[in-house]
Amino acid sequence: MDNPVAVRMTGVTKAFGSVVANRDVCLEIRRGEVLSLLGENGSGKTTLMNMLSGIYFPDAGEITVNGTPVTIRSPKDAFALGIGMIHQHFKLVDVFTAAENVMLGVRGKDRSVRETAERIKEICAKYGFEVDPRQKVYDMSVSQKQTLEIVKVLYRGADVLILDEPTAVLTPQETQKLFAVIRNMKADGKAVVIITHKLNEVMEISDRVAILRRGEHIATVSTCDTSPAQLTEMMVGQKVSLNIHRAEPANVRPALRVEGLSVVREDGVRVLTDVSFTANAGEILGIAGISGCGQKELLESVAGLQKTEKGSIIYYPEGDETGTELVGKQPGEIRRLGISLSFVPEDRLGMGLVGSMGMTGNMMLKNYGDSRSFFLENRKPRELAQRIKDELEVSAEGLSTPVRRLSGGNVQKVLVGREIASSPSVLMTAYAVRGLDINTSYTIYNLLNKQKERGAAVIYVGEDLDVLLELSDRILVLCGGRVNGIVDARSATKEEVGALMTNLEENGEEEKE
């Protein structure tokens, strides 16, 4: 017998100008089950859930909660109906405690901080959370912040919980803890919706899977009756290979050697301590670690974007055994030395792309500093932009469309495509497939492998340990800004890498100088 329906969406449509994000979508969310929402980038998953959580208002269609038609015009309306959404980007005040954050914006519950803390403890005991009501947010790990966001939603009485990419920055151990909590909420009769791209997690945690394609609802299937290959085919509309071809390394030689690298940020926080490793040409070196453990600063140091406290970074062009020291050089100097370092930053619209410019303009930026002409010739950048748009299926009205108007996944395609197209000697990618759908992700993995086979040294910072193990030749594990091990990706297990990522967690907090 089917579980009772908590929310039913019928004929829901939402457009932004000429772009239709959702068209005539019908969906059921049931109590006591986990529903996974799958789809390619731009398929309308988040838009659909944003209408349910009160961020957007549908242009057409009906939403019923517990059988009653409702109007949801704001998150306040959604909370009043028992619907809460946990977004990828946490909405917490760092200087407040957990209890103070939970109290924010809650009216009609005239509780003191002490009473709120007691209620938090009751919620934690019921569902298996671990939250210290007195802990400041700035002292919390990423998983603790996520847990607090879920507690906030439950504190406000939510019976329908929507989690947007909840495991994106979690270790395998933290993911299993989250799944245990979700199962407890499911057992308590809660309805849980998970937006995710990770098919292995969909198969593990969900009861049903709803698939969207280009804004339309394709199907909803029972998880036990489907497979990752079938789900991918429904998402994309054709069969897609889910295998990463990892060629054996050939003509391996050192391309980049980092020795004793330490970095202290401008605010006095030490983020890297005595980091040493070698990146080889013809290999993919994966870098694993929990969010904030120094991956970003490590790549920025190599690219000349981060000042180092001590240590050396030696680049070895082919045929040069002496090498060139990179520490102390500006990015422009590194480029003029003929050293090709491509960097896909975590912040796509930070130093990666200019949001007000179109694809062609952002292609031109790559080599702007090397131009000797007052007038920039844009024929080749335009050709490159068109090739990236076609090969990576970037959804944009035209090459001049400002990239800030593209979805997050399409922005990422532009950035990654531009970096890979430069055919560097050392290619560094940070979170290259974050927010990308499964089809595009595997396209990127194949492009990285082609760079490796071409003889480039590829440094890949990723969040999905399954992918890291399948794509990389070796994996460097960072914990608390230190190298906690370098393992052979062919023989290591996900659990071993996850343990290396976390076993220094208690002592690996950022240090003040």
Side-chain angles (χ1 to χ4, degrees), residues 112-179:
S112 65
V113 175
R114 182 181 60 80
E115 291 171 326
T116 300
E118 289 302 315
R119 176 59 183 147
I120 290 173
K121 290 178 181 178
E122 292 173 7
I123 293 172
C124 290
K126 182 175 184 178
Y127 296 110
F129 290 111
E130 295 178 6
V131 174
D132 180 355
R134 300 166 298 177
Q135 187 176 10
K136 299 281 190 180
V137 169
Y138 59 67
D139 284 330
M140 293 182 179
S141 67
V142 173
S143 63
Q144 288 174 317
K145 291 177 182 178
Q146 183 185 71
T147 298
L148 179 56
E149 288 281 22
I150 298 174
V151 170
K152 275 175 55 180
V153 169
L154 291 172
Y155 180 89
R156 299 182 184 196
D159 290 316
V160 179
L161 293 92
I162 305 162
L163 287 75
D164 192 0
E165 298 284 355
T167 66
V169 292
L170 300 185
T171 66
Q173 289 84 349
E174 291 168 337
T175 296
Q176 290 306 313
K177 287 183 180 179
L178 174 64
F179 283 1

Side-chain angles (χ1 to χ4, degrees), residues 342-409:
S342 291
F343 179 43
V344 180
E346 186 174 355
D347 182 5
R348 297 180 286 228
L349 286 179
M351 58 186 160
L353 299 170
V354 175
S356 60
M357 297 177 68
M359 290 180 62
T360 300
N362 275 287
M363 297 304 116
M364 294 170 69
L365 282 178
K366 184 68 179 175
N367 297 311
Y368 174 78
D370 295 331
S371 175
R372 297 185 180 183
S373 171
F374 180 78
F375 298 101
L376 291 174
E377 194 274 315
N378 69 354
R379 180 176 59 83
K380 290 184 178 179
R382 187 185 300 115
E383 291 174 356
L384 175 58
Q386 187 64 55
R387 181 156 60 89
I388 291 172
K389 184 176 186 296
D390 294 341
E391 291 183 4
L392 297 183
E393 299 180 350
V394 178
S395 297
E397 293 180 12
L399 300 182
S400 61
T401 302
V403 296
R404 67 164 178 261
R405 288 170 52 186
L406 306 182
S407 70

Side-chain angles (χ1 to χ4, degrees), residues 7 105 273 376 388-389 458 473 483 503 508:
V7 175
T273 303
L376 291 174
I388 291 172
K389 184 176 186 296
V458 180
D473 297 292
V483 176
N503 70 356

